Amino acid sequence: MKDNKPQPILEAENLVRMYGKFPAVDQISFAINKGEIFSLLGPNGAGKTTTISMLSTLLKPTDGTARIAGVDILTNSAGARKAIGVVPQDIALYNDLTGLENLQFWGSMYNLGGKDLHIRAEEILDRIGLSDKKNQRVRTYSGGMKRRLNIGAGLLHRPSILFMDEPTVGIDPQSRRMILDLVKELNRDGMSVLYTTHYMEEAQELSHRVGIIDHGKMIAIGTQDELTALVGEDEILRLHTLDSQVIEQSCLDELAALSGVHSVSRIDGQIILNVANAETSIADAIAVANTHQVKITSVDIEEPNLEAVFLHLTGRALRD
Amino acid sequence: MKKILAIAWKDFRITYRDLTALLVNIAAPVAMTLVMSFAFGGSDTGFSQIPVGIINLDGGMIGDIFINTFESEELAAYLLPEQYTDIETALNALESDKLAAVIVIPDGMSDMLNDPSGDDSAPISNDGLKIELYPNITRPVSVEIIESILDSILIDLNAGFAAGSLGFSQLIQEGLVTTEELSNGLGEAIGEKLEPIFGDGSSQVTLDAVYQEADSDTGFSWLSYMAPSMAILFLSFSMTNSARSILSEREKGTLPRLLISPNHPGVVLVGKMMGTYIIGLAQVFIFLVISRFLLNVHWGGTVQVFVFTVVMVLSVASWGILVASFARNSGEASAVGTAITLVFAALAGNFIPRGNFPEWLKTIGYITPNAWGIEGYLNMINGATFSDMLLPMVVLLGMSILVLMTAGYFFQRQYRN
């Protein structure tokens, strides 16, 4: 009889990383199943990169451990490293080598060589859409092209799980779309992915399951449906203002005190309210804004999403 | 090993694809050798009198002329002559850099001028009786000055012989000239005094000197001094730059990526060190070849030059790696590396020959690979054999091992997580 129980490719148990007395990661536990895309969603400084650094054996955990493909990262770090591919947040490539030379070098670090390495590098270049640029030095590449090659370098040795640390930071929408599509394509081919981001939309689009991380702690974990259920039937009322608009705290306090409003936060030129019923709260919210000379330029009503979950759990917006 | 070589080869390719690196590593030392040779080719003095050892085995009139000349008031400001009684002691002083040169006036030089047979028509042979000069190769210009003085005395004395065809002893015996006059007038006056007395006599005696460095097939030149000096100076700069690439890689994120590949961190570190080393080797070997054909520098025997270079580059590279091992970032490594390079260069005589330094400063210079490197190359230029080079090679190798072990300790401390 076939066992349908999900097989974990990664299991993290009570990972802790202290910097002096400051816990950058505090007792984080989660598992990723084979063939799953798991996103760690959290604001900058939440502990996402530190978590990936520990899992990739670059940083030694202060406490706790993890197993990757059944191999303990503390007792057999070299074995664990064979199973993972890492796409770091920084573009970790050599600008004075060509795209092909970069892939050949990184492949050689994973015991690939000779004809196999050359064929594999060509395959990867084709997959990331850089075959026609393979003999150009990386310094001539655009930011998006570098990002794609950065991913390609992590795929050469056919890892069991790919760690991607905010791979779309600072790139144009077209390249971002290309990368998200590539992640989905890799996953369709069976690759497990640990994806960190502070973009709610990316986590929402890609992930089978999401872990929400804040101040080094995993504050929620589950599928998107499971997470949005945490905020109940709440809707999001998003009030757009001018970017230069000054919004006083007293205005936010008054909005939070309105009937049916569960939480309020401000991000860039927006005021975001978690409300029981957006249609009934909209008029009162605008009236309060007017009282404080806050000019509302447009209003959006959204179904519950991961941002609402984060807002609900922390009282802050993701990009606060 | 394959991965170590892959990392090293990657660094080599990146370095030599960079036009700036090519200019700094290859073109600059060649240009600086030429510039420094032209600029300072006239003097390695200026700090002190030139110490010269004189061994007067002759004990006669000719010996006195040389002694009086070298000890004359006119030359007192420039020379510091010291008489020795045996060659071995004098050559030891030369070896330990206490003298710029040793002059040996052979026994019987004065007797040669007296014809024992009394037959003036018979030629007098001076075969085997030649004044010898042993140079200190680290003081090229001092040696040149001493050679010039020696030449001047010889030319004037020979002019005197040509004019007079007479033994000096006869002149002195007849009270026509004193040894002091001979030395001060350097022979010209002799000729004038002899001319009216001896008329058309022909020369029978010629004084000559043997310059010992002529045994090597090159001789010494300022260019030959500056070539190894500049090669090692620019090697020091490029080794610091190359070694600090490990810090640059950390800052750019490629080092963490290397460290999460399934390799021991030591493989990455050794690969980076190896990269630094082969970049240095290429730099020096290219310089040796270019300077041989472009500047006509004869470096010496191929085998000893090759082996010595391999060891010397390792030693210089190890200092660059040491700087990278304790610096917190590439900027700090660059600043500290440049400072160390310049201090080492000053101590080792990369700019000015160490022969002119006080003894204590010369001794301190031996903590640098530069000093051993410069002396080693100069010795080979002047004909040193492989066995002659064993001591500097062993010292440089020992220094490399010690410095690399220290660097390994600092790396471990810095990169331990």
Side-chain angles (χ1 to χ4, degrees):
Chain A
M1 196 173 130
K2 194 179 172 185
D3 183 7
N4 287 326
K5 193 180 170 188
Q7 297 293 310
I9 186 76
L10 183 151
E11 297 163 280
E13 289 174 10
N14 300 315
L15 283 175
V16 176
R17 175 68 192 195
M18 303 290 292
Y19 288 109
K21 290 184 177 176
F22 172 73
V25 170
D26 191 2
Q27 299 271 333
I28 279 185
S29 298
F30 63 97
I32 300 174
N33 297 319
K34 279 183 182 168
E36 186 178 48
I37 299 178
F38 182 91
S39 288
L40 270 181
L41 178 68
N44 290 328
K48 304 185 296 291
T49 299
T50 305
T51 302
I52 279 204
S53 295
M54 285 190 286
L55 292 172
S56 55
T57 75
L58 195 59
L59 276 181
K60 196 173 176 183
T62 307
D63 200 6
T65 189
R67 280 178 300 282
I68 297 170
V71 178
D72 192 289
I73 62 166
L74 293 181
T75 56
N76 185 4
S77 58
R81 287 200 292 265
K82 282 181 189 166
I84 61 176
V86 180
V87 180
Q89 191 171 347
D90 297 318
I91 295 171
L93 300 168
Y94 297 104
N95 280 330
D96 288 309
L97 298 182
T98 66
L100 178 61
E101 287 169 343
N102 262 284
L103 291 186
Q104 287 177 328
F105 171 73
W106 290 113
S108 70
M109 292 296 103
Y110 284 86
N111 302 316
L112 298 174
K115 203 176 169 186
D116 288 347
L117 173 58
H118 188 80
I119 292 169
R120 180 66 180 151
E122 295 280 2
E123 276 175 18
I124 296 290
L125 284 164
D126 187 45
R127 185 156 210 173
I128 59 180
L130 290 174
S131 287
D132 56 334
K133 308 279 186 192
K134 67 181 180 183
N135 292 320
Q136 286 183 15
R137 290 195 198 180
V138 169
R139 68 168 63 256
T140 66
Y141 284 16
S142 68
M145 288 159 71
K146 287 180 183 175
R147 283 272 168 211
R148 280 185 272 154
L149 190 64
N150 203 35
I151 294 171
L155 299 172
L156 284 155
H157 61 293
R158 298 183 176 86
S160 305
I161 182 166
L162 186 64
F163 296 170
M164 304 182 82
D165 191 9
E166 309 221 30
T168 59
V169 167
I171 58 170
D172 58 277
Q174 192 185 354
S175 295
R176 186 182 186 193
R177 170 50 42 208
M178 208 162 182
I179 287 171
L180 295 180
D181 289 344
L182 178 63
V183 175
K184 286 192 270 189
E185 193 182 313
L186 290 168
N187 180 248
R188 274 198 297 274
D189 292 347
M191 186 170 289
S192 312
V193 179
L194 169 58
Y195 191 98
T196 76
T197 182
H198 62 266
Y199 297 125
M200 176 271 298
E201 304 87 346
E202 288 184 5
Q204 219 158 250
E205 177 177 343
L206 293 174
S207 318
H208 296 104
R209 288 190 308 130
V210 176
I212 297 179
I213 186 170
D214 189 39
H215 295 311
K217 288 180 181 293
M218 191 75 89
I219 56 175
I221 194 165
T223 62
Q224 290 183 54
D225 287 344
E226 288 166 348
L227 291 173
T228 49
L230 293 174
V231 293
E233 300 296 316
D234 274 6
E235 291 176 316
I236 295 169
L237 183 59
R238 196 182 294 268
L239 307 179
H240 295 269
T241 68
L242 297 172
D243 283 345
S244 57
Q245 177 75 59
V246 176
I247 303 169
E248 292 166 355
Q249 186 59 43
S250 58
C251 174
L252 299 177
D253 293 342
E254 240 177 90
L255 285 168
L258 288 174
S259 170
V261 175
H262 296 146
S263 64
V264 177
S265 68
R266 180 183 55 192
I267 178 167
D268 300 330
Q270 300 170 22
I271 301 170
I272 303 161
L273 299 91
N274 266 20
V275 294
N277 187 320
E279 283 181 15
T280 56
S281 297
I282 192 166
D284 292 341
I286 290 172
V288 170
N290 285 338
T291 308
H292 288 268
Q293 278 84 48
V294 173
K295 188 179 178 188
I296 306 297
T297 55
S298 64
V299 177
D300 288 332
I301 297 170
E302 297 167 7
E303 291 297 309
N305 57 24
L306 293 176
E307 190 163 356
V309 175
F310 190 83
L311 190 60
H312 174 77
L313 293 173
T314 66
R316 291 177 291 115
L318 258 173
R319 279 171 282 171
D320 269 356
Chain B
M1 191 62 190
K2 267 175 73 177
K3 289 175 185 175
I4 289 173
L5 290 176
I7 294 169
W9 177 237
K10 178 264 298 174
D11 280 355
F12 182 83
R13 276 196 298 187
I14 288 173
T15 298
Y16 284 103
R17 272 183 186 175
D18 181 5
L19 184 63
T20 310
L22 280 174
L23 287 173
V24 170
N25 292 2
I26 309 295
V30 174
M32 280 296 286
T33 300
L34 281 171
V35 170
M36 296 286 277
S37 300
F38 287 129
F40 300 108
S43 176
D44 61 343
T45 63
F47 299 104
S48 57
Q49 295 155 302
I50 300 169
V52 55
I54 304 172
I55 302 164
N56 185 5
L57 300 175
D58 177 53
M61 180 187 57
I62 298 235
D64 289 345
I65 290 170
F66 278 96
I67 296 293
N68 288 335
T69 303
F70 275 91
E71 291 181 348
S72 65
E73 282 181 19
E74 286 84 351
L75 295 177
Y78 310 105
L79 297 180
L80 197 62
E82 189 176 350
Q83 289 199 51
Y84 287 82
T85 51
D86 68 293
I87 294 180
E88 196 180 341
T89 310
L91 291 181
N92 284 340
L94 187 78
E95 187 82 11
S96 58
D97 201 32
K98 288 175 182 158
L99 296 173
V102 170
I103 296 168
V104 181
I105 304 160
D107 184 19
M109 190 61 102
S110 295
D111 296 342
M112 178 186 73
L113 301 174
N114 298 317
D115 177 8
S117 68
D119 178 6
D120 284 350
S121 62
I124 300 170
S125 170
N126 61 341
D127 285 351
L129 286 177
K130 290 187 175 180
I131 293 159
E132 291 180 287
L133 183 138
Y134 295 86
N136 181 337
I137 56 167
T138 65
R139 304 192 189 203
V141 179
S142 295
V143 172
E144 278 179 25
I145 290 169
I146 294 165
E147 281 179 8
S148 301
I149 293 168
L150 197 56
D151 282 342
S152 173
I153 297 170
L154 293 172
I155 289 166
D156 291 342
L157 284 176
N158 285 326
F161 292 143
S165 182
L166 182 71
F168 284 107
S169 59
Q170 287 176 267
L171 288 170
I172 294 168
Q173 282 164 14
E174 291 176 22
L176 293 169
V177 66
T178 65
T179 54
E180 284 76 17
E181 283 176 312
L182 285 172
S183 58
N184 290 336
L186 299 175
E188 285 176 17
I190 300 169
E192 287 167 13
K193 288 179 180 179
L194 295 175
E195 176 62 32
I197 300 168
F198 297 101
D200 63 347
S202 59
S203 175
Q204 292 177 315
V205 177
T206 301
L207 292 182
D208 202 359
V210 178
Y211 299 139
Q212 293 300 321
E213 81 268 20
D215 290 345
S216 78
D217 58 0
T218 58
F220 192 90
S221 71
W222 186 260
L223 196 68
S224 298
Y225 184 83
M226 289 320 299
S229 297
M230 289 301 113
I232 293 168
L233 177 67
F234 281 88
L235 174 69
S236 304
F237 280 121
S238 74
M239 290 299 88
T240 300
N241 274 333
S242 181
R244 81 187 170 95
S245 76
I246 195 163
L247 297 161
S248 306
E249 287 218 35
R250 188 171 68 179
E251 286 152 14
K252 290 174 185 168
T254 44
L255 182 67
R257 191 167 213 165
L258 281 169
L259 292 173
I260 56 181
S261 62
N263 303 303
H264 190 277
V267 169
V268 177
L269 189 59
V270 174
K272 292 295 296 176
M273 289 180 180
M274 179 80 86
T276 299
Y277 183 51
I278 63 169
I279 288 164
L281 278 180
Q283 178 182 349
V284 176
F285 280 125
I286 292 170
F287 179 82
L288 292 179
V289 172
I290 289 176
S291 58
R292 172 68 187 86
F293 294 104
L294 201 65
L295 309 179
N296 202 28
V297 177
H298 295 256
W299 290 96
T302 309
V303 175
Q304 53 262 43
V305 168
F306 178 83
V307 178
F308 181 76
T309 301
V310 165
V311 178
M312 189 276 297
V313 172
L314 178 66
S315 183
V316 176
S318 68
W319 281 95
I321 289 164
L322 177 65
V323 171
S325 71
F326 64 74
R328 283 167 297 185
N329 53 57
S330 60
E332 186 177 286
S334 183
V336 174
T338 302
I340 289 177
T341 297
L342 291 175
V343 170
F344 274 18
L347 286 174
N350 281 87
F351 302 116
I352 301 162
R354 288 168 67 238
N356 297 298
F357 292 2
E359 284 302 320
W360 62 270
L361 196 54
K362 281 184 208 166
T363 308
I364 290 176
Y366 282 117
I367 65 164
T368 70
N370 308 38
W372 290 97
I374 293 169
E375 279 193 19
Y377 279 119
L378 287 175
N379 287 339
M380 290 187 289
I381 285 170
N382 285 280
T385 61
F386 189 85
S387 59
D388 296 332
M389 299 306 297
L390 280 176
L391 175 66
M393 286 195 280
V394 168
V395 170
L396 285 170
L397 193 61
M399 185 188 287
S400 309
I401 292 167
L402 194 67
V403 173
L404 285 174
M405 281 171 66
T406 311
Y409 168 76
F410 280 119
F411 271 125
Q412 202 181 18
R413 240 177 52 153
Q414 187 165 191
Y415 291 91
R416 184 172 49 204
N417 57 42

